[in-house]
Amino acid sequence: MHRFLFLFAVGVWPFISEAQKQYYPHLTLWSRVQVAKEPNPNWNLVGTLMWRRQNNYQENPHNPTASPLMMGGQALITHRNTQNTVWVHIAQMSYMVSNQLLGKEEDFNAPIGKEFRYAGGVEFNQEVNEKLTFRQRFMQELRFFKANNFHPVGRVRGRANIRYQFTPFVSVNGVTEILFHDPPLLSGQKPLRFHQFWFGGSLLWSLSERVNLETGYTFIHGRRATLVEFDEQNVLNLHLAFEI
């Protein structure tokens, strides 16, 4: 619990310490279909298809599906210790085709971005009892953008998650996450510069023994490259997961 509160406090700090001169509000829909396979209790393999949309403030500011935002795929390989307390994310590989968040006129002319991402890290799983679980995850990313000639760019992220199982069919999740730029950096960037803060919650619905649906909301506060412009997303989450 203390890690959850620490990440939340760190994430809130930019709201207090930064002179935020320009906000761009967004309403977005993040959806994904995920397929997971456990060859044995120590290994977990996950494949994900991601699809995201956004509102268009010029045409329909209240429709989160009005304009494209991102399409992509991801593969994850995880090893768990016998006690299921430490998860090592050996490789998380993603490929994404992204549109600019539409906050100002110039964003409509921004080129479509292509990104390959590799990440690795560790996650601590603490099952307090049969209903309550805490998880803390720390990941290091290397991002390769077409616009940057696919030179690596670094980002570190820390996440804290709380899950409580109300019934055998419904669980509630709380999450907070903080992201910083770290080496290797773009030209002119400073190490450990704030990038994004996430805070949200969701309901996990067990549709069957092997099928889960997650519905929820996430608030994302992110800083643009200009340092004085900020995107604020109100994200509606819709995720479907299968175990095979």
Side-chain angles (χ1 to χ4, degrees):
M1 181 65 178
H2 65 282
R3 291 188 181 96
F4 184 93
L5 295 175
F6 172 76
L7 288 176
F8 177 75
V10 172
V12 170
W13 177 250
F15 293 86
I16 303 172
S17 63
E18 299 286 347
Q20 299 177 6
K21 297 183 179 180
Q22 183 64 54
Y23 299 89
Y24 302 120
H26 311 275
L27 180 62
T28 60
L29 172 66
W30 288 22
S31 57
R32 69 170 182 248
V33 176
Q34 180 176 289
V35 178
K37 172 68 174 179
E38 292 187 2
N40 61 59
N42 296 111
W43 290 94
N44 191 36
L45 310 176
V46 181
T48 305
L49 293 177
M50 299 173 289
W51 178 75
R52 298 175 187 173
R53 304 284 294 184
Q54 64 176 316
N55 70 315
N56 184 320
Y57 72 88
Q58 290 183 337
E59 298 176 1
N60 192 336
H62 307 296
N63 181 3
T65 66
S67 297
L69 180 56
M70 189 273 282
M71 292 185 66
Q74 185 179 89
L76 173 64
I77 303 173
T78 298
H79 181 269
R80 302 169 177 173
N81 66 346
T82 303
Q83 295 79 19
N84 195 30
T85 56
V86 180
W87 303 0
V88 179
H89 299 299
I90 297 172
Q92 185 185 72
M93 296 166 287
S94 311
Y95 178 74
M96 289 161 281
V97 178
S98 303
N99 294 78
Q100 175 65 42
L101 281 165
L102 301 176
K104 57 183 180 178
E105 293 296 323
E106 296 91 318
D107 296 334
F108 287 88
N109 298 319
I112 295 176
K114 296 182 179 179
E115 175 188 355
F116 172 77
R117 184 183 302 176
Y118 173 86
V122 63
E123 186 165 349
F124 302 98
N125 184 56
Q126 181 185 3
E127 297 178 354
V128 179
N129 53 49
E130 61 181 10
K131 291 183 176 292
L132 182 62
T133 302
F134 294 113
R135 290 178 183 167
Q136 300 86 39
R137 186 178 71 182
F138 303 92
M139 300 283 282
Q140 171 64 51
E141 296 179 338
L142 289 176
R143 310 172 71 193
F144 303 85
F145 297 97
K146 180 182 179 181
N148 192 40
N149 295 318
F150 293 106
H151 294 155
V153 178
R155 188 170 68 175
V156 62
R157 56 198 306 163
R159 167 181 286 201
N161 177 271
I162 299 174
R163 173 177 294 182
Y164 182 81
Q165 185 173 348
F166 275 118
T167 73
F169 309 105
V170 181
S171 300
V172 62
N173 298 310
V175 63
T176 183
E177 187 162 0
I178 184 78
L179 296 83
F180 291 92
H181 297 288
D182 70 343
L185 300 166
L186 290 171
S187 177
Q189 276 190 339
K190 295 182 179 180
L192 294 181
R193 194 192 76 186
F194 168 80
H195 186 209
Q196 291 182 359
F197 167 67
W198 300 25
F199 185 73
S202 63
L203 293 174
L204 185 66
W205 310 87
S206 296
L207 304 182
S208 72
E209 185 178 354
R210 295 183 176 272
V211 181
N212 293 319
L213 175 66
E214 185 176 6
T215 58
Y217 166 82
T218 305
F219 172 76
I220 300 179
H221 172 78
R223 182 163 63 183
R224 293 196 176 197
T226 62
L227 302 183
V228 294
E229 295 178 295
F230 297 82
D231 289 303
E232 294 190 332
Q233 291 188 64
N234 294 286
V235 183
L236 306 177
N237 298 300
L238 182 63
H239 305 149
L240 190 62
F242 300 88
E243 294 183 16
I244 59 175

